[in-house]
Amino acid sequence: MRAVGYQQSLAIDQDASLVDIDLPRPEPGPRDLLVEIRAVSLNPVDTKVRMRAQPEPGGWKVLGFDAAGIVRGTGKDVSLFREGDEVFYAGAITRQGTNAEFHVVDERLVGTKPKSLSFEEAAALPLTTLTAWETLFDRLEVKRPVKGAANAVLIVGAAGGVGSIAVQLARKLTDLTVIATASRPETQAWARELGAHHVIDHGKPLAAQVETLGIGAPAFAFSITHTENHFAEIAKALAPQGRFALIDDPKTLLDISLMKGKSISIHWESMFTRSTFQTADMERQHEILNEASRLVDAGTIRTTLADIIGPINASNLKRAHSLVESNRTRGKLVLSGF
């Protein structure tokens, strides 16, 4: 089968950073689905793994997490899907990725593709939806109020893939006031379009801008990118006994003592925790994706697809990696078929 992989971690402008290759079609394990890949989307984790994870000598590492496709085979213990089902998912970081014609994935990580979306539109959603959903509802528990705080969430970096879903989920599924941050006119407009009540500029100090809104100190904050640059301002802006979550990898150590005086709790979110550690609640990702699919088909939330780069090949994936590494993308970049 056709695939795109690499044998050594290289800058994306190097010829061998991503290469078109042929690999054997994978065989599904007992709870696996064999999926014919119709579309994939890019996430920052793709670029991070490319620079950190080396394959075995002589082997190939295939990237890709988000995917939408059709089930073409099932393991002997599969019970949630059958051949011919259209699915979408974000997979596991511990296995080969989705930048291939066929891919195997544990059924407990897979959802039924929204009927109202194309494969390309669906592929934009899984990883960011799972990350945003788990952060808001499993980690921050935003439906459990913080007494005395403004019933509001500050979403830092709201115009990217995760932020684009987090804004929608917070606006549509809760009664929170959504304060989004974005630094450019086009990304600020995007955040408003997705449902943010207020949009402030993360290129300027955050706390004073939040205070100017006149709604009080927010109960919750969700930092998606460049947390090291905003941490002190977030600590200043949050209400006492508030909750703070982050998903990125700060380049410098965070001074968490800034949160101590207010007894602010800190929550890490990694969408791959459940699959990596085979947690007892691993099937929750199947449930989240199915609920997200229902919400999409009901018109409650929408795809965050921003651009279709072209077919899945090394040249197009290099272009997509470069765009993601620029940190200036809006929504999600998708590749379609081979």
Side-chain angles (χ1 to χ4, degrees):
M1 67 173 184
R2 288 172 292 180
V4 178
Y6 68 92
Q7 293 187 308
Q8 56 182 324
S9 296
L10 296 169
I12 199 60
D13 60 357
Q14 299 297 301
D15 289 344
S17 61
L18 293 171
V19 180
D20 292 309
I21 56 177
D22 283 302
L23 293 175
R25 182 186 295 194
E27 293 293 329
R31 294 211 65 177
D32 286 343
L33 308 177
L34 175 68
V35 179
E36 178 189 351
I37 299 298
R38 292 296 185 88
V40 300
S41 72
L42 266 287
N43 295 279
V45 68
D46 291 80
T47 67
K48 293 173 183 177
V49 172
R50 193 192 81 244
M51 294 306 297
R52 295 175 184 171
Q54 297 276 28
E56 293 293 324
W60 293 93
K61 175 68 176 174
V62 177
L63 296 171
F65 303 102
D66 275 332
I70 302 172
V71 177
R72 296 303 188 194
T74 60
K76 64 182 180 63
D77 295 330
V78 165
S79 61
L80 302 175
F81 298 95
R82 58 187 180 183
E83 290 188 34
D85 285 347
E86 296 183 352
V87 297
F88 72 146
Y89 60 90
I93 202 166
T94 53
R95 304 180 74 170
Q96 289 283 50
T98 57
N99 294 335
E101 286 187 275
F102 293 90
H103 183 250
V104 289
V105 60
D106 190 301
E107 65 169 346
R108 291 169 289 181
L109 305 176
V110 177
T112 299
K113 183 184 79 68
K115 293 180 174 60
S116 59
L117 297 186
S118 66
F119 286 103
E120 293 79 10
E121 292 167 327
L125 288 171
L127 188 147
T128 53
T129 299
L130 287 165
T131 299
W133 195 296
E134 291 181 355
T135 301
L136 292 172
F137 302 116
D138 295 355
R139 315 298 175 218
L140 289 176
E141 297 181 274
V142 296
K143 292 190 176 181
R144 179 167 63 89
V146 175
K147 290 185 178 180
N151 192 36
V153 60
L154 172 65
I155 301 175
V156 180
V162 173
S164 295
I165 288 293
V167 168
Q168 294 185 71
L169 295 178
R171 180 62 188 264
K172 296 292 187 177
L173 303 186
T174 77
D175 58 358
L176 292 166
T177 296
V178 181
I179 308 166
T181 84
S183 60
R184 292 175 283 135
E186 60 269 30
T187 53
Q188 291 172 350
W190 174 254
R192 290 190 184 93
E193 183 182 333
L194 294 173
H197 294 91
H198 306 282
V199 181
I200 61 177
D201 184 354
H202 55 235
K204 301 174 183 177
L206 295 175
Q209 294 180 79
V210 171
E211 185 177 5
T212 300
L213 298 176
I215 63 174
F220 312 104
F222 177 12
S223 182
I224 295 168
T225 185
H226 293 99
T227 296
E228 67 276 9
N229 295 339
H230 307 298
F231 188 70
E233 286 292 312
I234 292 169
K236 191 185 301 184
L238 269 172
Q241 301 187 95
R243 302 182 205 123
F244 168 68
L246 68 160
I247 63 170
D248 62 332
D249 303 301
K251 295 178 181 177
T252 58
L253 290 176
L254 302 179
D255 182 6
I256 62 172
S257 67
L258 295 174
M259 300 289 194
K260 180 180 179 180
K262 291 182 178 179
S263 296
I264 293 168
S265 58
I266 301 175
H267 305 263
W268 283 96
E269 158 63 16
S270 171
M271 189 226 73
F272 295 116
T273 295
R274 285 178 161 123
S275 58
T276 297
F277 294 97
Q278 300 283 295
T279 60
D281 64 348
M282 185 168 151
E283 197 166 317
R284 174 147 169 78
Q285 294 202 335
H286 166 71
E287 296 164 356
I288 291 170
L289 289 175
N290 276 355
E291 178 60 12
S293 183
R294 186 192 68 79
L295 291 168
V296 168
D297 286 339
T300 304
I301 62 175
R302 53 181 269 196
T303 182
T304 55
L305 183 152
D307 191 19
I308 299 174
I309 300 293
I312 303 168
N313 58 41
S315 176
N316 286 331
L317 278 165
K318 285 179 183 177
R319 179 183 166 209
H321 276 241
S322 295
L323 289 168
V324 169
E325 288 177 348
S326 76
N327 292 313
R328 293 181 64 82
T329 56
R330 175 180 64 85
K332 293 298 293 295
L333 303 176
V334 172
L335 289 85
S336 177
F338 277 83

